[in-house]
Amino acid sequence: MALRKCIRCGTEMVEHCSIKVEGAGYGIVMTTDDRKLFPNRIGKPQVAICPECGEVSIYMADVEGKLGKTPISES
């Protein structure tokens, strides 16, 4: 698997970090459709951080088969 490169400066990023809500014991969970009452959970996002410029990238490590045919809405 290729390592992530920073979109700002091109430096190799530190992967597999996590994101938490300060003051709470829970993190963030991503779902397929926020319009549904009980959307399908995709999983917990991971974070990559650039040690050079501090750029943060939020990504899903394994999304294969989890998104299905969910339409992407345009904002």
Side-chain angles (χ1 to χ4, degrees):
M1 186 168 152
L3 296 173
R4 294 184 183 277
K5 297 278 185 186
C6 177
I7 61 171
R8 302 286 180 222
C9 68
T11 302
E12 191 174 292
M13 299 180 87
V14 177
E15 296 180 310
H16 307 294
C17 300
S18 62
I19 186 168
K20 298 279 184 185
V21 177
E22 190 172 334
Y26 51 87
I28 296 173
V29 175
M30 298 177 89
T31 61
T32 56
D33 190 344
D34 64 351
R35 297 170 291 181
K36 294 180 181 178
L37 181 59
F38 298 106
N40 295 329
R41 288 186 175 197
I42 300 169
K44 293 182 180 181
Q46 292 187 340
V47 178
I49 304 168
C50 177
E52 227 14 74
C53 71
E55 176 70 18
V56 174
S57 174
I58 299 173
Y59 67 96
M60 296 297 298
D62 181 26
V63 294
E64 189 173 330
K66 293 182 180 179
L67 294 177
K69 294 183 179 181
T70 303
I72 298 174
S73 60
E74 295 181 14
S75 300

